[in-house]
Amino acid sequence: MLGVALFFIGAVLIVNGIGLTGRIEPRDSALFNLLVGVLALLLNVIGLLHASATSDYFGAAGGLLFAFTYLYLAGVQWWGLKGVGLGWYCLFVAISALVYAALSFGSDVRVGVMWLLWASLWFLFFLALGLQRSWRLLPAYTVIVGVVTCWVPGLLMLTGRW
């Protein structure tokens, strides 16, 4: 299930990064964010329903960080909100992602690095949305993080090459 989620999260990060350049109107991205958010929500609810150990719950909670990000973003985009609340949520997620990164390094360095990169991206979105500070490279960084940490690993997982 992780490969499926990462594959589509990579796609939505690419679309959102391009959207940050102004090439895609926010409302045009809203539906895709909603679809990916619902997909991540469903996959992680299934994970919760099949959870039997603390690590299973922890993993599903990590996936829900993504689901709620994209669901929240879809609402912000659709209704033309400023996204300040989403920005502060991104700070919560960035800090949580650091915990996931630290714990992942013990079992898979690649996943630990992925969590660190996601934490950095969520932190930049906190700065952009929560504090209304802009960073010129955020669109490109969003696309790069989407490709390197989601799309490519998702493809590798789906083809059995991870």
Side-chain angles (χ1 to χ4, degrees):
M1 288 193 309
L2 180 58
V4 171
L6 288 177
F7 183 73
F8 285 100
I9 290 169
V12 82
L13 282 171
I14 293 166
V15 168
N16 288 332
I18 294 168
L20 289 170
T21 68
R23 291 187 176 124
I24 302 172
E25 291 292 322
R27 282 190 72 172
D28 286 339
S29 300
L31 182 58
F32 193 42
N33 278 287
L34 177 65
L35 291 171
V36 173
V38 168
L39 174 66
L41 179 68
L42 291 174
L43 291 175
N44 286 287
V45 166
I46 290 168
L48 285 172
L49 294 174
H50 291 94
S52 60
T54 302
S55 61
D56 296 335
Y57 291 104
F58 187 70
L64 289 172
L65 293 171
F66 286 90
F68 294 149
T69 297
Y70 298 113
L71 292 172
Y72 200 156
L73 179 57
V76 166
Q77 291 173 324
W78 184 257
W79 285 294
L81 305 174
K82 289 183 181 178
V84 175
L86 174 59
W88 283 94
Y89 172 72
C90 287
L91 177 61
F92 166 80
V93 178
I95 293 167
S96 299
L98 291 174
V99 175
Y100 279 85
L103 295 172
S104 295
F105 277 114
S107 58
D108 191 336
V109 172
R110 298 172 298 182
V111 175
V113 170
M114 290 163 61
W115 276 108
L116 281 179
L117 290 170
W118 295 329
S120 70
L121 185 61
W122 268 306
F123 183 74
L124 291 172
F125 277 106
F126 159 68
L127 294 177
L129 297 170
L131 300 182
Q132 302 293 300
R133 299 219 173 111
S134 61
W135 184 50
R136 192 171 52 93
L137 298 177
L138 184 56
Y141 189 66
T142 302
V143 170
I144 291 166
V145 169
V147 170
V148 172
T149 67
C150 298
W151 184 31
V152 171
L155 277 172
L156 291 172
M157 289 175 189
L158 291 171
T159 58
R161 291 174 170 88
W162 179 253

